[in-house]
Amino acid sequence: MTYEWPLYFCLFLALWSAVVGGVFSAFSEFIIAGLLRADPAGGMEAMQQINRTVIKTQFVAGIMSIPVFAIAFGLYAVFVFSGPALLAMILAPAIFVPSVLLMTIFGNVPMNNKLDSLDHTAAGSCAYWQEYGRVWTRLNHFRSLGSILTAGLYIIAAVTLIASDQV
């Protein structure tokens, strides 16, 4: 008997991870760059508002729930699948958790919190804003890459599940 839900779940996790990676990439490529080109007070205030808004969205729910689903799915896969599909299903959360979840929790969020505590009109805030833009973007590139690699691994898992008749 074949069970196709793992194939669809691989594709779902691939799509979900790719969307997260796309949002990160948009911020790294042009949103932060545009905010940094604006007047520092305006750019800072806009990013403060973005950070206050994003925590109430499905985007953050995705960042926090992908690891849970990916780890659980990987553990399930250990007992059911073999070969390259299994390897991809194990590597996906092994990449996503440190590069996206942990980088978010220990890298980007503390920077966001510090930015939020600053008065965007204060003269001393401008120096942090420039540092924020440079460092935060570098961390965000890493999150983009981790999300996109995770998506690719789930696509590889789906294809190899089909090719090896495991679904």
Side-chain angles (χ1 to χ4, degrees), residues 33-147:
L35 293 176
L36 288 170
R37 287 187 185 99
D39 174 62
M44 277 183 69
E45 182 181 23
M47 191 63 187
Q48 287 170 331
Q49 295 303 323
I50 289 168
N51 288 336
R52 291 174 189 151
T53 304
V54 75
I55 61 172
K56 302 171 191 163
T57 64
Q58 295 171 1
F59 180 71
V60 171
I63 294 171
M64 302 306 285
S65 59
I66 288 172
V68 174
F69 290 117
I71 290 169
F73 190 49
L75 290 172
Y76 168 79
V78 167
F79 296 103
V80 178
F81 301 113
S82 62
L86 172 61
L87 181 61
M89 286 186 247
I90 292 170
L91 286 176
I95 288 174
F96 192 90
V97 169
S99 66
V100 178
L101 180 67
L102 297 179
M103 183 64 68
T104 299
I105 292 170
F106 297 112
N108 295 82
V109 168
M111 293 186 74
N112 293 346
N113 291 340
K114 182 174 179 180
L115 183 70
D116 193 54
S117 72
L118 298 176
D119 177 359
H120 67 276
T121 61
S125 298
C126 183
Y128 181 71
W129 173 238
Q130 293 305 313
E131 176 188 350
Y132 175 93
R134 183 178 40 78
V135 175
W136 191 95
T137 300
R138 189 178 315 131
L139 297 176
N140 208 51
H141 282 314
F142 191 71
R143 296 191 304 171
S144 299
L145 181 62
S147 297

